């Protein structure tokens, strides 16, 4: 079992709908991530959360709104999406280790993803 | 220049063959390196970490060349089940909180 679960696994929505993707990790990690993977493209990092605080937002459009209520749960709220937003959305978690003044991300564990289709 | 570059392939090899992938990275301060494997329509999974001295796990051998800024993955005695996309992953060494950087992947197709 992966230790990182995502729901729903598949989602079809219209451009005017509002939906949310959910991710839960059972690994005791303190960092969580959202990635987008479009067909035949590499993984694109969207957001990073450390200890519930957002630390990275890679120029993601505001129609994607993340929420991290605690270190085990991560949501991605979707509204007024475009057809080009259709992709596999992957959640991941890892343990962030403090090293002096810097911090170190260790290997990430991924959830199975939500395959999103925007009509 | 991309932070992590890989040949997208596909590499089509017969069962039992030995195949090697290379990956180059641009940030000389990068600290940690990994190979992930991603099956079609599935999530990426850690295959192995890459250590400075090189490391081996069964049929898989990973090497790091810091001087030339590349890492490699060697697969011996290829199996049909090795067919997948192999992602090169680098952790930047800069201070600050930057997540892992993924390459676009190299696709391997092992044929009977």
């Amino acid at each position: 079992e992966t230790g990182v679960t995502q729901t729903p696994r598949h989602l079809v929505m219209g451009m005017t709908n509002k939906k949310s993707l959910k991710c839960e990790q059972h690994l005791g990690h303190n960092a969580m991530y959202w990635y987008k993977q479009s067909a035949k493209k590499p993984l694109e990092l969207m957001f990073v959360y450390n200890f519930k605080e957002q630390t990275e937002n890679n120029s993601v459009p505001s129609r994607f709104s993340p929420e991290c209520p605690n270190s085990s749960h991560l949501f991605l709220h979707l509204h007024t999406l475009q057809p080009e937003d259709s992709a596999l959305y992957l959640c991941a978690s890892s343990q962030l280790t403090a090293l002096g003044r810097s911090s170190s991300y260790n290997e990430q564990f991924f959830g199975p993803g939500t395959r999103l289709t925007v009509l | 220049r991309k932070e992590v570059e890989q040949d997208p392939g596909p590499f089509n090899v017969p069962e039992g063959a030995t195949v090697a992938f290379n990956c180059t990275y641009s940030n000389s301060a990068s600290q940690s390196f990994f190979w992930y494997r991603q099956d079609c329509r599935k999530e990426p999974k850690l295959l192995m970490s890459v250590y400075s001295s090189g490391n081996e796990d069964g049929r898989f051998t990973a090497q790091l060349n810091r001087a030339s800024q590349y890492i490699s993955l060697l697969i011996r005695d290829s199996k049909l089940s090795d067919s997948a996309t192999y992602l090169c992953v680098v952790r930047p060494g800069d201070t600050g909180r930057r997540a892992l950087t993924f390459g676009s992947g190299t696709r391997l197709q092992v044929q009977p």
Side-chain angles (χ1 to χ4, degrees), chain B residues 24-98:
Chain B
T24 57
Y25 59 94
S26 60
N27 185 344
S28 60
S30 298
Q31 291 187 345
S32 299
F33 309 88
F34 309 92
W35 283 102
Y36 277 69
R37 169 194 170 132
Q38 185 172 24
D39 292 291
C40 188
R41 303 180 76 82
K42 296 283 185 71
E43 74 274 21
K45 293 185 179 179
L46 179 67
L47 177 65
M48 58 195 305
S49 301
V50 186
Y51 303 126
S52 297
S53 55
N55 49 301
E56 189 174 308
D57 183 2
R59 298 182 292 109
F60 298 84
T61 301
Q63 297 280 351
L64 168 63
N65 185 318
R66 284 192 183 273
S68 300
Q69 294 182 210
Y70 77 82
I71 68 173
S72 64
L73 177 67
L74 180 78
I75 305 176
R76 290 180 298 278
D77 189 23
S78 300
K79 312 289 184 193
L80 293 175
S81 57
D82 293 333
S83 298
T85 296
Y86 291 83
L87 304 171
C88 173
V89 184
V90 173
R91 192 185 80 207
D94 309 299
T95 56
R97 302 177 175 212
R98 289 200 57 202

Side-chain angles (χ1 to χ4, degrees), chain A:
Chain A
E1 189 169 324
T2 180
V4 181
T5 58
Q6 287 187 245
T7 54
R9 295 293 305 276
H10 299 271
L11 177 63
V12 179
M13 59 187 289
M15 293 166 63
T16 58
N17 292 157
K18 289 185 180 181
K19 297 287 185 184
S20 295
L21 309 185
K22 179 183 176 183
C23 174
E24 183 174 0
Q25 59 96 0
H26 312 274
L27 301 168
H29 290 159
N30 52 24
M32 296 187 76
Y33 314 78
W34 279 117
Y35 287 88
K36 174 184 177 182
Q37 189 172 39
S38 304
K40 302 192 177 182
K41 287 187 176 180
L43 282 168
E44 299 174 49
L45 179 65
M46 300 175 73
F47 302 103
V48 181
Y49 277 84
N50 301 327
F51 300 100
K52 305 187 298 178
E53 300 297 322
Q54 187 182 127
T55 57
E56 284 194 52
N57 175 339
N58 281 5
S59 304
V60 180
S62 59
R63 57 185 184 269
F64 295 91
S65 174
E67 178 190 359
C68 188
N70 55 61
S71 57
S72 298
H73 293 85
L74 186 63
F75 295 90
L76 188 63
H77 304 300
L78 317 171
H79 63 97
T80 59
L81 294 192
Q82 306 297 313
E84 60 265 29
D85 296 322
S86 299
L88 179 67
Y89 288 84
L90 290 159
C91 173
S93 72
S94 71
Q95 188 64 20
L96 179 67
T97 305
L99 294 173
R101 290 186 300 164
S102 66
S103 52
S104 168
Y105 290 89
N106 298 304
E107 59 265 29
Q108 294 175 5
F109 295 84
F110 286 84
T114 295
R115 189 158 296 280
L116 173 68
T117 302
V118 181
L119 301 177

